[in-house]
Amino acid sequence: MISIQNVSTAFGEHRAVDDVSLEIPTGSIQGIIGFSGAGKSTLLRNVNLLLRPSAGSVVVDGTDLTALSPSGLREARRGIGMVFQHFNLVHNLTAAQNVALALKFAGVDRRARQARALEI
């Protein structure tokens, strides 16, 4: 489960995300929609702390990401998958090969990578 509690993110005087709280159940697939400039990308970057919120907490599977050390955060991110609106793929690879490539970088063995890529 992902629990976002009272998250705010400010850029100087501008608050891109203002006191957002929500719970995302385990196993669900969610989308963030809204007008241009509404703070969607900022909130999404707050979920895995690609952008640290100015206030609030982000808890993923019981781990408060906002309280982790840099190395602890890197380790926690290995279990967090996200697809951004403008995602980057290696253009000369198939979709399955792109999935397998990410798993290779994560240290997953070849057979497990292939099985997971086919499953997805």
Side-chain angles (χ1 to χ4, degrees):
M1 174 167 70
I2 299 171
S3 176
I4 298 170
Q5 296 299 315
N6 307 105
V7 165
S8 294
T9 302
F11 300 102
E13 295 295 316
H14 176 72
R15 282 194 149 200
V17 174
D18 189 15
D19 197 29
V20 173
S21 294
L22 58 100
E23 304 283 327
I24 302 170
T26 300
S28 70
I29 298 172
Q30 304 292 319
I32 301 172
I33 60 172
F35 293 108
S36 179
K40 304 176 299 291
S41 294
T42 301
L43 179 61
L44 190 58
R45 285 178 174 83
N46 288 157
V47 172
N48 64 4
L49 269 67
L50 287 175
L51 179 62
R52 186 170 288 278
S54 306
S57 66
V58 177
V59 177
V60 176
D61 288 334
T63 301
D64 184 351
L65 301 183
T66 53
L68 293 177
S69 68
S71 63
L73 181 57
R74 279 191 301 277
E75 183 62 32
R77 282 182 181 143
R78 291 179 185 229
I80 300 171
M82 304 178 90
V83 178
F84 289 90
Q85 182 176 354
H86 297 288
F87 51 88
N88 293 315
L89 297 176
V90 178
H91 293 290
N92 63 330
L93 299 181
T94 66
Q97 289 169 329
N98 271 280
V99 170
L101 182 61
L103 295 171
K104 180 179 181 178
F105 292 148
V108 176
D109 71 77
R110 188 172 76 67
R111 284 188 188 206
R113 286 194 309 261
Q114 290 175 334
R116 183 68 172 141
L118 290 175
E119 175 187 337
I120 291 173

